[in-house]
Coordinates of all heavy atoms in Angstrom, one line a residue:
E242 N -46.4 9.2 -3.4 CA -46.4 9.5 -1.9 C -45.9 10.9 -1.7 O -45.0 11.4 -2.4 CB -45.5 8.5 -1.2 CG -45.9 7.1 -1.2 CD -45.1 6.2 -0.3 OE1 -44.4 6.7 0.6 OE2 -45.2 5.0 -0.4
E243 N -46.6 11.6 -0.8 CA -46.3 13.0 -0.6 C -44.8 13.3 -0.3 O -44.2 14.3 -0.9 CB -47.1 13.5 0.6 CG -46.8 15.0 1.0 CD -47.4 15.4 2.3 OE1 -47.3 14.6 3.3 OE2 -47.9 16.5 2.4
Q244 N -44.1 12.5 0.5 CA -42.7 12.7 0.8 C -41.8 12.6 -0.4 O -40.9 13.4 -0.5 CB -42.3 11.7 1.9 CG -42.8 12.1 3.3 CD -42.3 13.4 3.8 OE1 -41.1 13.6 3.9 NE2 -43.2 14.3 4.1
L245 N -42.1 11.7 -1.3 CA -41.3 11.6 -2.5 C -41.6 12.8 -3.5 O -40.7 13.3 -4.2 CB -41.6 10.3 -3.3 CG -41.1 9.0 -2.6 CD1 -41.6 7.8 -3.3 CD2 -39.6 9.0 -2.5
I246 N -42.8 13.2 -3.5 CA -43.2 14.4 -4.4 C -42.5 15.6 -3.8 O -41.9 16.4 -4.6 CB -44.7 14.5 -4.4 CG1 -45.4 13.3 -5.1 CG2 -45.1 15.8 -5.1 CD1 -46.9 13.3 -5.0
L247 N -42.6 15.8 -2.5 CA -41.9 17.0 -1.9 C -40.4 17.0 -2.2 O -39.8 18.1 -2.4 CB -42.2 17.1 -0.4 CG -43.7 17.4 0.0 CD1 -43.8 17.3 1.5 CD2 -44.1 18.8 -0.5
G248 N -39.8 15.8 -2.1 CA -38.3 15.7 -2.2 C -37.8 15.5 -3.6 O -36.6 15.4 -3.8
H249 N -38.8 15.4 -4.5 CA -38.4 15.0 -5.9 C -37.6 13.7 -6.0 O -36.7 13.5 -6.8 CB -37.6 16.2 -6.6 CG -38.3 17.5 -6.6 ND1 -39.1 17.8 -7.7 CD2 -38.5 18.5 -5.7 CE1 -39.6 19.0 -7.5 NE2 -39.3 19.4 -6.3
G250 N -37.9 12.8 -5.1 CA -37.2 11.6 -4.9 C -36.8 11.4 -3.5 O -37.3 12.1 -2.6
Y251 N -35.8 10.5 -3.2 CA -35.3 10.3 -1.9 C -34.3 11.4 -1.5 O -33.3 11.6 -2.2 CB -34.7 9.0 -1.7 CG -35.6 7.8 -1.9 CD1 -35.6 7.0 -3.1 CD2 -36.6 7.5 -1.0 CE1 -36.4 6.0 -3.3 CE2 -37.5 6.4 -1.2 CZ -37.4 5.7 -2.4 OH -38.2 4.6 -2.5
D252 N -34.6 12.1 -0.4 CA -33.7 13.1 0.2 C -34.1 13.2 1.6 O -34.5 14.2 2.1 CB -33.7 14.4 -0.5 CG -32.7 15.4 0.0 OD1 -31.8 14.9 0.7 OD2 -32.7 16.6 -0.4
H253 N -33.9 12.1 2.3 CA -34.5 11.9 3.7 C -33.5 11.3 4.6 O -32.7 10.5 4.3 CB -35.8 11.1 3.6 CG -36.9 11.8 2.9 ND1 -36.9 11.8 1.5 CD2 -38.0 12.4 3.3 CE1 -38.0 12.5 1.1 NE2 -38.7 12.9 2.2
N254 N -33.7 11.6 5.9 CA -33.0 11.0 7.0 C -33.6 9.8 7.5 O -34.8 9.7 7.8 CB -32.8 12.0 8.1 CG -32.2 11.4 9.4 OD1 -31.1 11.1 9.4 ND2 -33.1 11.3 10.4
F255 N -32.8 8.7 7.6 CA -33.3 7.4 8.2 C -32.7 7.3 9.6 O -31.5 7.5 9.8 CB -32.9 6.3 7.3 CG -33.7 6.2 6.0 CD1 -33.4 7.1 4.9 CD2 -34.7 5.3 5.8 CE1 -34.1 7.0 3.7 CE2 -35.4 5.2 4.6 CZ -35.1 6.1 3.6
A256 N -33.6 6.9 10.5 CA -33.2 6.7 11.9 C -32.7 5.3 12.0 O -33.4 4.3 12.0 CB -34.4 6.9 12.8
L257 N -31.4 5.1 12.1 CA -30.7 3.8 12.1 C -31.1 3.0 13.3 O -31.1 3.5 14.4 CB -29.2 4.0 11.9 CG -28.7 4.7 10.6 CD1 -27.2 5.0 10.7 CD2 -29.1 3.9 9.4
N258 N -31.3 1.7 13.0 CA -31.7 0.8 14.1 C -30.6 0.6 15.1 O -29.4 0.5 14.7 CB -32.1 -0.6 13.5 CG -33.4 -0.5 12.7 OD1 -34.2 0.4 12.9 ND2 -33.5 -1.4 11.8
G259 N -31.0 0.5 16.4 CA -30.0 0.1 17.4 C -28.9 1.1 17.7 O -27.9 0.7 18.2
Y260 N -29.2 2.4 17.5 CA -28.1 3.4 17.8 C -27.7 3.3 19.3 O -28.6 3.4 20.1 CB -28.6 4.8 17.4 CG -27.7 5.8 17.9 CD1 -26.4 6.0 17.3 CD2 -28.0 6.6 19.0 CE1 -25.6 7.0 17.8 CE2 -27.2 7.6 19.5 CZ -25.9 7.8 18.9 OH -25.1 8.7 19.4
D261 N -26.4 3.2 19.5 CA -25.9 3.3 20.8 C -24.5 4.0 20.9 O -23.8 3.9 21.9 CB -25.8 1.9 21.5 CG -24.9 1.0 20.7 OD1 -24.2 1.4 19.7 OD2 -24.8 -0.2 21.1
G262 N -24.2 4.6 19.8 CA -22.9 5.3 19.7 C -21.8 4.4 19.2 O -20.6 4.9 19.0
S263 N -22.0 3.1 19.0 CA -21.0 2.2 18.5 C -21.0 2.1 17.0 O -22.0 2.5 16.4 CB -21.1 0.9 19.1 OG -22.3 0.2 18.7
L264 N -19.9 1.7 16.4 CA -19.9 1.5 15.0 C -20.7 0.3 14.6 O -20.5 -0.8 15.1 CB -18.4 1.3 14.6 CG -18.1 1.4 13.1 CD1 -18.3 2.8 12.5 CD2 -16.6 1.0 12.8
R265 N -21.6 0.4 13.6 CA -22.5 -0.7 13.2 C -22.9 -0.5 11.8 O -22.8 0.6 11.2 CB -23.7 -0.7 14.2 CG -24.5 0.5 14.3 CD -25.4 0.5 15.5 NE -26.3 -0.6 15.5 CZ -26.4 -1.5 16.4 NH1 -25.6 -1.4 17.5 NH2 -27.2 -2.6 16.4
F266 N -23.4 -1.6 11.2 CA -23.9 -1.5 9.8 C -25.0 -0.5 9.7 O -26.0 -0.5 10.5 CB -24.4 -2.9 9.4 CG -25.0 -2.9 8.0 CD1 -24.3 -2.9 6.9 CD2 -26.4 -2.9 7.9 CE1 -24.9 -2.9 5.6 CE2 -27.1 -3.0 6.7 CZ -26.3 -3.0 5.5
A267 N -25.0 0.3 8.6 CA -26.1 1.3 8.3 C -26.8 1.0 7.0 O -28.0 1.1 6.9 CB -25.4 2.7 8.3
A268 N -26.0 0.7 5.9 CA -26.6 0.6 4.6 C -25.7 -0.1 3.7 O -24.5 -0.3 3.9 CB -26.9 2.0 4.0
S269 N -26.3 -0.6 2.5 CA -25.5 -1.2 1.5 C -26.1 -0.9 0.1 O -27.3 -0.5 0.0 CB -25.4 -2.7 1.7 OG -26.7 -3.3 1.6
A270 N -25.3 -1.0 -0.9 CA -25.7 -0.9 -2.3 C -25.1 -2.0 -3.1 O -24.0 -2.5 -2.8 CB -25.3 0.5 -2.8
F271 N -25.8 -2.3 -4.2 CA -25.4 -3.4 -5.0 C -25.7 -3.1 -6.5 O -26.8 -2.6 -6.8 CB -26.1 -4.7 -4.6 CG -25.9 -5.9 -5.6 CD1 -24.6 -6.4 -5.8 CD2 -27.0 -6.4 -6.2 CE1 -24.5 -7.5 -6.7 CE2 -26.9 -7.5 -7.1 CZ -25.6 -8.0 -7.3
D272 N -24.7 -3.3 -7.4 CA -25.0 -3.1 -8.8 C -25.1 -4.4 -9.5 O -24.1 -5.1 -9.7 CB -23.8 -2.3 -9.4 CG -24.0 -2.1 -10.9 OD1 -25.2 -2.0 -11.4 OD2 -23.0 -2.1 -11.7
P273 N -26.3 -4.9 -9.9 CA -26.5 -6.2 -10.4 C -25.7 -6.4 -11.7 O -25.2 -7.5 -12.0 CB -28.0 -6.3 -10.7 CG -28.6 -5.3 -9.8 CD -27.6 -4.2 -9.7
A274 N -25.4 -5.3 -12.5 CA -24.8 -5.5 -13.8 C -23.3 -5.8 -13.6 O -22.7 -6.6 -14.4 CB -24.9 -4.2 -14.6
S275 N -22.6 -5.3 -12.6 CA -21.2 -5.5 -12.4 C -20.9 -6.4 -11.2 O -19.8 -6.9 -11.1 CB -20.5 -4.1 -12.2 OG -20.9 -3.6 -11.0
G276 N -21.8 -6.5 -10.3 CA -21.6 -7.3 -9.1 C -20.9 -6.5 -8.0 O -20.6 -7.0 -6.9
R277 N -20.6 -5.2 -8.2 CA -19.9 -4.4 -7.2 C -20.9 -4.1 -6.0 O -22.1 -3.9 -6.2 CB -19.4 -3.1 -7.8 CG -18.4 -3.3 -8.9 CD -17.8 -2.0 -9.4 NE -17.1 -2.3 -10.6 CZ -17.6 -2.0 -11.8 NH1 -18.7 -1.4 -12.0 NH2 -16.9 -2.3 -12.9
T278 N -20.3 -4.0 -4.9 CA -21.0 -3.7 -3.7 C -20.4 -2.6 -2.9 O -19.2 -2.2 -3.0 CB -21.1 -4.9 -2.8 OG1 -19.8 -5.3 -2.3 CG2 -21.7 -6.1 -3.5
L279 N -21.2 -2.0 -2.0 CA -20.8 -0.9 -1.1 C -21.5 -1.2 0.2 O -22.8 -1.3 0.2 CB -21.1 0.5 -1.6 CG -20.9 1.6 -0.6 CD1 -19.5 1.8 -0.1 CD2 -21.4 2.9 -1.3

Side-chain angles (χ1 to χ4, degrees):
E242 293 188 15
E243 179 193 40
Q244 285 297 303
L245 290 172
I246 295 168
L247 291 174
H249 299 268
Y251 296 107
D252 187 10
H253 294 76
N254 170 68
F255 287 76
L257 297 173
N258 292 335
Y260 169 72
D261 61 4
S263 65
L264 192 67
R265 57 196 304 120
F266 173 80
S269 62
F271 170 62
D272 176 35
S275 66
R277 297 185 196 100
T278 63
L279 169 62

